[in-house]
């Protein structure tokens, strides 16, 4: 789901009412009170039949309350155990991941200098023919070794009478392919290899008849699918989110190349079902990444799966694009309600985005968007915490546009409570960001600054440049408008005068524009900061507007870690 960027109390849908009604200690206490009242009434009125009937009803009510409370506690405890097991599984999956680090400028690793050259004397080299028709031309060492291992093991997967004469390893085969002036592979440096020479007569129809090709394809796609799936999980976890973003920034072109190459029409007819399932995993991982970066490529990548013949019989939801709010049909109830929720949420976001693009949020668009978002909220499965948080944030934004600040705060507080267990750290950061905007609208400026600082620290931990840019814009514009609050964000040496506060804010705004060029009003407040600095007289270069951050507006505990 997509969260909208943003800057009368009523009951929140699916609020935890049962927690208030079915608190274990309170229910047991009321059950004891009912039993005590029953005994007192019966003792006072003796053997009266009506009194006995009322007493029996009270006892039954007490038993029912205790049973309901016990069932609720057991349900919550079971749900807590399931959540803990899910978290443990995710941590186990990302435990072995290594941070790829930032790329080194001026590195000597280049790409393939051109398409591979055909060689007549290698026509009988089936390995070279297989490498020619794989969906990538460049390989990482680990992926290439996985492919070569599968090629070597392919003959052993078929029944045979004689044992193999030699026992070659993937490293031995890799060395053979890199030897000689007409080598099949070329080492590009670091851990990259490129297919440089291929057999002249090795058409796709010929190659797919070889068991080596059917072994190599699942090995290549499965290698990338395993890594992409684990790093997609890492994107959702605070400690590993930064490393996961760096990994996807580096590997997204390779994942896209594999998906595009495998879904070309002539190629897609020869994809096995196992390989197709691995491609679905890659598509899912890319979808998670494109959602974080709000890329327009997510739907394009998903729709490419429709060309794979092996997936024709599967009811893949992602292939349908924009899903209409159809009935359940033969789909499971949870899946049907989830699809309807996403459809309604998408309609609401599109309606509000169109209204905001026209620089006017009409009074008719707001009630309609609110109605769609509420319907989406009710339909979302309870296990979809990220979806619930997203819907609540957008609903709060709608309420803020309506001027219903209490209702907006109610939504945001519930979203905050849903993420207390560590689920959806990005949603929690966005919740704090919108809470800051809400508090600022209420005139609670100091509280607003604290929320924005907290959100900024979370976005930096998650390596979320878009969120970081928005928070820097909030804080920078706040200091330009109200520099008197500079002491809440800056040390005394930088907050002693309006000039120094506005100068620091100009650096935050400059960084906000660099990290998130689409953030609204950053240019307006940056110009206003520069104009205000000029009012203090001729501004030398050492006292003019900053082009980068000099001091981050973080909380003290986070400031020490930078």
């Amino acid at each position: 789901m997509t969260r909208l960027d943003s800057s009368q109390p009523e009951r929140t849908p699916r609020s935890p009412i049962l927690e208030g009604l079915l608190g274990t200690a309170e229910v047991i206490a009321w059950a004891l009170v009912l039993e005590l009242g029953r005994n007192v009434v019966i003792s006072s009125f003796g053997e009266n039949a009506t009194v006995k009937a009322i007493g029996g009803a009270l006892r039954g009510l007490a038993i029912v309350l205790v049973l309901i409370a016990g069932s609720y506690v057991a349900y919550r405890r079971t749900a807590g155990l399931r959540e803990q097991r899910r978290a443990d599984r995710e941590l186990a999956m990302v435990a072995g991941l290594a941070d790829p680090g930032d790329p080194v400028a001026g590195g000597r690793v280049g790409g393939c200098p051109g398409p591979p050259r055909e060689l007549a004397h290698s026509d009988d080299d089936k390995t070279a023919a297989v490498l020619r028709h794989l969906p990538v031309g460049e390989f990482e060492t680990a992926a290439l070794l996985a492919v070569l291992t599968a090629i070597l093991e392919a003959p052993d997967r078929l029944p045979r009478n004689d044992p193999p004469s030699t026992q070659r390893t993937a490293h031995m085969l890799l060395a053979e392919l890199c030897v000689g002036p007409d080598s099949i592979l070329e080492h590009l440096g670091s851990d990259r290899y490129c297919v440089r020479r291929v057999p002249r007569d090795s058409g796709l129809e010929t190659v797919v008849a070889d068991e080596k090709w059917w072994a190599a394809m699942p090995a290549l796609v499965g290698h990338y699918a395993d890594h992409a799936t684990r790093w997609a999980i890492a994107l959702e976890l605070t400690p590993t989110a930064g490393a996961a973003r760096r990994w996807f920034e580096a590997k997204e072109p390779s994942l896209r190349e594999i998906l595009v190459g495998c879904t070309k029409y002539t190629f897609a007819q020869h994809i096995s079902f196992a390989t197709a399932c691995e491609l679905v995993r890659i598509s899912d991982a890319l979808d998670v990444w494109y959602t974080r970066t709000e890329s327009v490529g997510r739907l394009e990548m998903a729709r490419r799966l429709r060309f794979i013949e092996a997936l024709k019989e599967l009811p893949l939801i992602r292939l349908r694009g924009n899903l209409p709010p159809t009935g359940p049909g033969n789909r499971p109830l949870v899946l049907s309600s989830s699809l309807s929720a996403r459809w309604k949420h998408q309609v609401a976001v599109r309606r509000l985005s169109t209204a905001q693009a026209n620089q006017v949020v009409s009074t008719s668009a707001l009630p309609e968007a609110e109605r769609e978002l509420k319907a989406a909220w009710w339909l979302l499965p309870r296990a979809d915490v990220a979806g619930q948080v997203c819907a609540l944030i957008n609903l709060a934004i709608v309420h803020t546009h309506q001027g219903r600040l209490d209702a907006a705060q109610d939504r945001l507080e519930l979203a905050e409570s849903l993420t207390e267990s560590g689920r959806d750290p990005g949603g929690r950061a966005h919740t704090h960001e919108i809470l800051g905007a809400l508090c600022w609208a209420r005139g609670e400026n100091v509280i607003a600054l604290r929320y924005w600082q907290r959100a900024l620290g979370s976005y930096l931990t998650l390596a979320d440049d878009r969120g970081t840019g928005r928070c820097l814009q909030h804080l920078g514009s706040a200091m330009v408008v109200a520099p008197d609050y500079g002491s809440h964000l800056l040390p005394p040496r930088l907050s002693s005068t309006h000039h120094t506060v506005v100068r620091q804010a100009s650096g935050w705004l400059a960084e906000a524009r660099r990290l998130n060029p689409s953030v609204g009003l950053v240019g307006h407040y940056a110009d206003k900061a520069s104009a205000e600095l000029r009012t203090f007289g001729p501004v030398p270069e050492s006292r003019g507007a900053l082009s980068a951050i000099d001091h981050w507006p973080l909380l003290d505990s986070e400031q020490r870690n930078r």
Side-chain angles (χ1 to χ4, degrees), residues 53 65 80 129-130 169 176 191 193 261 290 313-314 370 402 485 487:
L65 287 175
V130 169
T169 65
E176 294 173 9
D191 66 339
Y193 289 84
Y290 290 149
E313 302 302 323
L314 291 184
E370 178 187 3
Q402 293 172 325
Y485 291 97
S487 60

Side-chain angles (χ1 to χ4, degrees), residues 167-185:
Q167 186 62 40
R168 289 194 297 172
T169 65
H171 289 85
M172 295 170 60
L173 180 56
L174 175 58
E176 294 173 9
L177 295 172
C178 293
V179 171
D182 293 332
S183 60
I184 303 299
L185 296 175

Side-chain angles (χ1 to χ4, degrees), residues 268-334:
Q269 312 306 308
H270 304 288
I271 298 294
S272 67
F273 181 76
T275 304
C277 291
E278 299 295 349
L279 290 172
V280 171
R281 294 172 63 197
I282 293 178
S283 176
D284 288 341
L286 284 175
D287 186 66
V288 173
W289 171 242
Y290 290 149
T291 299
R292 294 296 179 276
T293 57
E294 299 185 12
S295 171
V296 296
R298 54 184 306 211
L299 190 57
E300 172 201 348
M301 290 294 101
R303 285 177 172 171
R304 282 186 170 273
L305 295 175
R306 73 176 67 182
F307 300 115
I308 298 178
E309 186 68 28
L311 296 178
K312 292 294 186 182
E313 302 302 323
L314 291 184
L316 292 177
I317 305 307
R318 60 181 62 79
L319 303 188
R320 298 178 57 189
N322 296 331
L323 295 167
T326 56
N330 295 324
R331 296 191 300 267
L333 179 59
V334 173

Side-chain angles (χ1 to χ4, degrees), residues 353-428:
S353 298
T354 302
Q356 290 178 342
N358 296 331
Q359 297 183 343
V360 56
V361 181
S362 64
T363 55
S364 61
L366 290 176
E368 293 172 358
E370 178 187 3
R371 188 162 48 251
E372 296 288 351
L373 289 170
K374 282 185 177 179
W377 163 252
W378 280 103
L379 289 169
L380 280 168
R382 294 302 299 270
D384 188 1
V385 173
Q388 293 183 59
V389 172
C390 183
L392 285 169
I393 290 174
N394 289 338
L395 196 53
I397 293 173
V398 170
H399 290 329
T400 303
H401 282 304
Q402 293 172 325
R404 300 164 58 195
L405 301 185
D406 289 340
Q409 183 168 356
D410 187 45
R411 300 297 189 262
L412 294 172
E413 287 177 351
L414 181 55
E416 187 179 26
S417 69
L418 290 173
T419 58
E420 285 179 349
S421 61
R423 296 288 300 272
D424 192 21
R428 186 173 182 84

Side-chain angles (χ1 to χ4, degrees), residues 54-315:
I54 295 175
L58 290 176
R59 171 171 289 180
L61 178 60
I63 293 174
V64 169
L65 287 175
V66 171
L67 289 177
I68 293 176
S71 301
Y72 179 72
V73 171
Y75 165 76
R76 291 301 300 269
R77 184 161 298 180
T78 302
L81 291 174
R82 285 199 302 267
E83 176 66 18
Q84 184 60 46
R85 285 196 296 269
R86 181 205 59 80
D88 291 342
R89 285 195 303 270
E90 290 184 349
L91 290 175
M93 291 186 69
V94 304
L97 298 178
D99 190 339
D102 296 321
V104 179
R108 292 175 293 179
V109 181
C112 280
R117 186 160 57 92
E118 294 184 345
L119 296 176
H121 70 268
S122 63
D123 283 350
D124 295 332
D125 193 332
K126 292 185 178 181
T127 300
V130 169
L131 293 176
R132 174 182 188 174
H133 289 286
L134 291 178
V136 295
E138 292 184 26
F139 298 88
E140 299 174 358
T141 302
L144 181 58
L145 289 174
V147 170
L148 296 180
T149 299
I151 290 175
L152 289 174
E153 294 177 352
D156 297 333
R157 299 178 182 181
L158 299 176
R160 57 188 304 164
N161 297 325
D162 301 325
S165 58
T166 59
Q167 186 62 40
R168 289 194 297 172
T169 65
H171 289 85
M172 295 170 60
L173 180 56
L174 175 58
E176 294 173 9
L177 295 172
C178 293
V179 171
D182 293 332
S183 60
I184 303 299
L185 296 175
E186 179 181 337
H187 188 211
L188 301 176
S190 186
D191 66 339
R192 306 287 296 180
Y193 289 84
C194 175
V195 179
R196 292 298 297 125
R197 293 166 182 84
V198 295
R200 182 183 58 189
D201 299 323
S202 58
L204 180 61
E205 297 296 334
T206 302
V207 172
V208 297
D210 194 335
E211 71 274 9
K212 291 184 177 181
W213 190 87
W214 291 99
M217 274 297 298
L220 174 69
V221 180
H223 171 83
Y224 282 100
D226 288 340
H227 284 74
T229 299
R230 295 170 66 193
W231 281 111
I233 294 174
L235 273 174
E236 306 288 340
L237 304 176
T238 301
T240 56
R245 283 182 173 272
R246 288 186 286 272
W247 188 89
F248 272 102
E249 287 170 355
K251 305 300 181 184
E252 186 270 344
S254 298
L255 299 177
R256 173 186 284 267
E257 182 183 8
I258 289 175
L259 198 58
V260 171
C262 288
T263 52
K264 291 180 179 177
Y265 180 74
T266 56
F267 199 88
Q269 312 306 308
H270 304 288
I271 298 294
S272 67
F273 181 76
T275 304
C277 291
E278 299 295 349
L279 290 172
V280 171
R281 294 172 63 197
I282 293 178
S283 176
D284 288 341
L286 284 175
D287 186 66
V288 173
W289 171 242
Y290 290 149
T291 299
R292 294 296 179 276
T293 57
E294 299 185 12
S295 171
V296 296
R298 54 184 306 211
L299 190 57
E300 172 201 348
M301 290 294 101
R303 285 177 172 171
R304 282 186 170 273
L305 295 175
R306 73 176 67 182
F307 300 115
I308 298 178
E309 186 68 28
L311 296 178
K312 292 294 186 182
E313 302 302 323
L314 291 184

